[in-house]
Amino acid sequence: MLKQSRGGVRRPLHTSFVGGDAGPWAVDRIDPVTGPSLPHAPHVTVIESARAPRVGKPAWVLRGVAGHERYTTPEEHEALARRQEALGRAAATRAALIPIRKSEKWWQLSQDERRAIFEERSYHIAIGIEYLPVVARRLHHGRDLGEPFDFLTWFEFAPQHTSAFEQLVGRLRATEEWSYIVREIDIRLSKAA
């Protein structure tokens, strides 16, 4: 996602996910899927700003940039845009923050090889489209910022769509693409309607 600036130029959306003692999202659980976990934090705040967040003493801060989609074709981008709902819907009182780091073997592949694994063999986009619009999502890139996670995936959904979200995550984790993941944490959150 790109944010409109004053001069009409679109710029990447910098986002910080802050795990701490206060925030609108209550942490229901933090599960390490692959590799070490993060320290427990009772709440998460999502801050959309390029500036470093000012939030007391957080347990952790994860940063990423939502920008241009790197592996989608124009047709896939259009299909996603047609079905995607906005984040922040009142009914979407459940969320998942899933930080992911891929192996160096993944990053040593060419862009075309990564694309082939990502979509032509793992069907990442095709699977994701099946769960739109009930699951809204945004991908944040952290690798270029020198962050510990390459991607921060943020999902929002209504409580009645929790099983659909579980299916989505389960199907993605069963793909060839997931064999390149060396660290993944599944953080589930909820907030009052």
Side-chain angles (χ1 to χ4, degrees), residues 27 37 42 66 70 72 115 125 127 129 134 153 158-159 185 190-191:
V27 174
S37 190
R70 297 182 184 187
T72 58
R115 162 67 192 185
I125 297 166
I127 290 170
I129 285 175
V134 299
T153 55
I185 303 166
S190 59
K191 68 177 179 179

Side-chain angles (χ1 to χ4, degrees), residues 111-154:
Q111 178 83 4
D112 289 345
E113 290 171 313
R114 291 194 306 263
R115 162 67 192 185
I117 294 167
F118 176 79
E119 187 57 25
E120 294 165 22
R121 298 200 302 263
S122 295
Y123 307 105
H124 188 119
I125 297 166
I127 290 170
I129 285 175
E130 291 179 38
Y131 296 90
L132 297 176
V134 299
V135 177
R137 91 292 179 266
R138 183 183 295 154
L139 178 66
H140 302 83
H141 299 270
R143 182 176 175 82
D144 295 340
L145 301 175
E147 290 292 305
F149 294 97
D150 298 323
F151 305 102
L152 306 173
T153 55
W154 177 258

Side-chain angles (χ1 to χ4, degrees), residues 5-125:
S5 69
R6 282 187 227 158
V9 176
R10 295 169 64 93
R11 56 188 166 83
L13 176 64
H14 291 260
T15 305
S16 296
F17 298 90
V18 181
D21 292 331
W25 291 97
V27 174
D28 297 326
R29 67 182 202 262
I30 299 177
D31 296 328
V33 178
T34 303
S37 190
L38 289 169
H40 176 72
H43 295 275
V44 170
T45 301
V46 181
I47 301 170
E48 295 178 349
S49 173
R51 294 190 180 116
R54 296 181 193 164
V55 288
K57 294 185 179 187
W60 42 264
V61 177
L62 305 177
R63 297 178 327 120
V65 176
H68 296 289
E69 295 160 339
R70 297 182 184 187
Y71 298 117
T72 58
T73 65
E75 296 78 19
E76 290 163 345
H77 172 80
E78 210 38 56
L80 288 165
R82 275 195 310 273
R83 292 185 54 105
Q84 174 74 33
E85 289 285 336
L87 296 173
R89 296 174 291 172
T93 59
R94 299 295 181 271
L97 171 60
I98 304 179
I100 293 171
R101 186 172 68 222
K102 290 190 174 178
S103 69
E104 283 308 309
K105 183 177 178 183
W106 171 264
W107 294 110
Q108 291 170 0
L109 296 171
S110 71
Q111 178 83 4
D112 289 345
E113 290 171 313
R114 291 194 306 263
R115 162 67 192 185
I117 294 167
F118 176 79
E119 187 57 25
E120 294 165 22
R121 298 200 302 263
S122 295
Y123 307 105
H124 188 119
I125 297 166

